[in-house]
């Protein structure tokens, strides 16, 4: 089975006053193509720090991150930006949609950055919005959508450049439990039907239980893992 992402002895520390705060203390993780992995841990355990480094949004203090066989430390800023735009989809807790854009334009944005012609952008964005159940809401702005609908727009946006991996940070954290469950079902459907690889971080055990593999993070180290299906 092919490894999509791997960390080797990954460490991250932040300066804090005169000393350093060690947030990740040596993480060895392999994510295999097509798996749905959840990383669960209490608040402050380093989950977002880890996910941001997997997504090339931040750099390690020590250790390596390898994406599709490439050590990220060998890439320059342009190459990292390109990787984020084409290979990785991000979904966040607070949706991070552009308020003045309607749903369709929000989903088109990553394609505009990738240089996809406008007609094709419209077509692909429309199709994805249909797939996430928002066919009738394409011309609504974020403020005119519910939290669950906004998260569906964000999921469509994350998928639109056909990334191989989706990184999801507390994506149900701002939703009620029923809506959160529906969003998880939607993510799982993209995993099952399109073989997308997911790395999802959460502090919520009910959400984590829906994943295929559950990795537990505490104080910047992995303390255990379980295969759930
Ligand atoms: N940019 C930063 N500068 C300094 N400290 C940070 C920074 N980002 C995160 N931290 C600290 O690192 C620890 C882990 O944060 P985070 O990865 O966000 O945890 P989690 O997502 O598990 O709640 C926290 O103590 C947090 O305050
Ligand atoms: Mg976090």
């Amino acid at each position: 089975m092919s490894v999509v992402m791997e960390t080797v002895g990954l460490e991250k520390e932040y300066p804090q006053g005169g000393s350093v705060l060690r947030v990740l203390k040596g993480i060895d993780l392999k994510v295999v193509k097509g798996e749905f992995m959840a990383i669960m841990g209490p608040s402050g355990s380093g989950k977002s720090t880890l996910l941001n480094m997997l997504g090339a949004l931040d750099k390690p203090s020590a250790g390596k991150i390898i994406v599709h066989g490439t050590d990220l430390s060998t890439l320059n800023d342009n190459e990292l930006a390109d990787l984020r735009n084409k290979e990785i989809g991000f979904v966040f807790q607070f949706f991070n949609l552009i308020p003045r854009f309607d749903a369709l334009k929000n989903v088109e944005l990553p394609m505009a950055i990738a240089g996809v012609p406008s007609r094709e952008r419209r077509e692909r964005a429309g199709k994805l919005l249909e797939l996430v159940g928002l066919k009738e809401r394409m011309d609504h702005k974020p403020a005119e959508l519910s939290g669950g609908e906004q998260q569906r727009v964000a999921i469509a946006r994350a998928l639109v450049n056909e990334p191989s991996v989706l990184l999801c940070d507390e994506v149900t954290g701002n939703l009620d439990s029923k809506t959160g469950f529906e969003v998880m079902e939607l993510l799982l459907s993209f995993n099952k039907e399109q073989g997308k690889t997911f790395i999802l971080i959460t502090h919520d055990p009910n959400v984590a239980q829906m994943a295929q593999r559950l990795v537990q993070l505490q104080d910047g180290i992995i303390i255990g893992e379980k295969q759930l299906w």
Side-chain angles (χ1 to χ4, degrees):
M1 279 193 285
S2 70
V3 175
V4 177
M5 282 188 172
E6 181 175 1
T7 69
V8 184
L10 184 66
E11 295 181 26
K12 182 68 177 180
E13 49 189 45
Y14 293 110
Q16 193 189 48
S19 66
V20 292
L21 177 67
R22 293 184 66 213
V23 176
L24 297 177
K25 303 169 183 168
I27 303 281
D28 297 299
L29 194 66
K30 269 192 185 135
V31 186
V32 167
K33 188 173 183 333
E35 83 173 324
F36 197 113
M37 175 194 277
I39 300 172
M40 189 172 87
S43 175
S45 56
K47 303 184 299 296
S48 294
T49 303
L50 174 58
L51 202 75
N52 290 344
M53 283 198 287
L54 289 172
L57 290 168
D58 201 357
K59 291 190 172 155
S61 308
K64 268 196 244 182
I65 304 163
I66 300 155
V67 177
H68 292 306
T70 303
D71 180 344
L72 295 192
S73 70
T74 65
L75 302 182
N76 65 32
D77 286 348
N78 282 335
E79 292 167 329
L80 289 171
D82 208 49
L83 178 91
R84 282 194 296 270
N85 181 243
K86 299 198 175 121
E87 282 298 321
I88 300 168
F90 292 93
V91 189
F92 302 99
Q93 179 174 2
F94 296 107
F95 325 132
N96 298 11
L97 299 172
I98 306 221
R100 67 175 191 285
F101 284 3
D102 64 18
L104 193 69
K105 270 200 124 178
N106 266 287
V107 177
E108 278 186 53
L109 192 60
M111 289 186 283
I113 293 166
V116 176
S118 69
R119 212 181 130 182
E120 190 187 334
R121 286 205 309 254
R122 254 154 214 270
E123 231 175 79
R124 267 160 63 183
K127 267 195 199 138
L128 261 170
L129 281 166
E130 203 174 325
L131 264 184
V132 300
L134 291 179
K135 195 176 178 212
E136 315 297 329
R137 297 269 190 285
M138 295 194 196
D139 58 350
H140 286 47
K141 292 187 176 157
E144 301 159 351
L145 297 167
S146 70
E149 287 168 343
Q150 289 182 62
Q151 196 59 299
R152 284 167 189 273
V153 175
I155 291 165
R157 179 185 57 184
L159 285 162
V160 82
N161 281 342
E162 302 187 332
S164 50
V165 190
L166 277 102
L167 302 180
C168 304
D169 190 344
E170 302 280 4
V171 292
T172 60
N174 203 37
L175 305 173
D176 63 73
S177 57
K178 177 169 175 283
T179 309
F181 180 80
E182 288 165 1
V183 161
M184 281 300 290
E185 295 266 81
L186 181 65
L187 297 178
L188 284 161
S189 76
F190 282 107
N191 171 252
K192 292 211 174 86
E193 281 151 36
Q194 300 188 7
K196 299 286 181 198
T197 307
F198 280 81
I199 306 173
L200 175 137
I201 64 175
T202 183
H203 66 275
D204 182 343
N206 293 320
V207 169
Q209 287 304 324
M210 294 175 79
Q212 180 178 25
R213 178 153 71 114
L214 175 55
V215 170
Q216 266 181 308
L217 190 71
Q218 196 175 302
D219 287 333
I221 55 168
I222 291 173
I223 57 162
E225 71 164 81
K226 256 197 290 208
Q227 196 76 26
L228 299 175
W229 44 272

